[in-house]
Amino acid sequence: MAGPAQVQRPAHGAIGFNLTAIAVLLALGGIGVAYLIDAAGRGARTQVHRLDTETTLTRTLGGRDLEIPLSWFRYEEQRIEGFAKQIDLRFELPFGVDAHDQPVDVTLLPRSRARPSAALLDGVYLHQFLPEQLDGPPGLVGKPLRPDGGYAGEVVWYDPLSAEPFVAKCSKPIASAATGQCLRTVYLGPGIAAVYAFPESALQHWREFDAELTARLGEIGAL
């Protein structure tokens, strides 16, 4: 009787050992898969970074080095490295009807060559307002400018409730089928100003306008 019992105990031990070994192998396999996935993710991120690096140029403006993707330049002749007096960019942003993309041109300049639209509101535009007031995008007031001041056919739209208001000057469309065009100038980081040129219909999105552009320009170091 003792003999068979001694034969069974090693059998149970072998089964337990095998189960333990299988569990260890599965655990090691899972760790290996996790490392492979993590390594693949790191490789993908590195590849994207390299692609971004390969498609950017360094332009120096207002004492700041800007890393600008090639596709952002409005003019091909500006796609060069080095110092710049002016940089012209173009974005397609969701400021149209039903969030359709519309072109927004951005001109980056040294601050000494520009004056913010908010400063022009009190210093210049206010003295050129005609008496009437126009209806337009909710939250904005539209005031036509006097033609004898050189502003014939132009309207200033601004937020009257803000201490630092959104201000844009818009002109009538040249052709009947075209849309009016607006200009807005802001200061960005130290040494840099930006002039935004955009369709008048984009004023419907004036509340998110600056935030959207600031996010883009922050990516290249302009803030």
Side-chain angles (χ1 to χ4, degrees), residues 32-81:
V33 171
Y35 274 114
L36 287 173
I37 293 173
D38 181 64
R42 288 198 304 271
R45 289 192 294 271
T46 301
Q47 184 179 13
V48 170
H49 175 72
R50 286 173 182 168
L51 288 174
D52 289 345
T53 303
E54 289 171 1
T55 57
T56 61
L57 292 174
T58 303
R59 302 302 311 268
T60 302
L61 177 72
R64 300 177 68 87
D65 290 334
L66 309 179
E67 297 290 335
I68 307 174
L70 286 174
S71 61
W72 289 18
F73 286 96
R74 199 186 327 165
Y75 304 120
E76 188 172 353
E77 59 267 24
Q78 292 189 0
R79 296 179 179 179
I80 56 175
E81 299 271 353

Side-chain angles (χ1 to χ4, degrees), residues 138-163:
L140 292 183
V141 170
K143 297 290 290 184
L145 297 174
R146 296 181 182 277
D148 56 5
Y151 299 106
E154 296 187 330
V155 176
V156 170
W157 294 94
Y158 67 99
D159 169 18
L161 302 179
S162 175

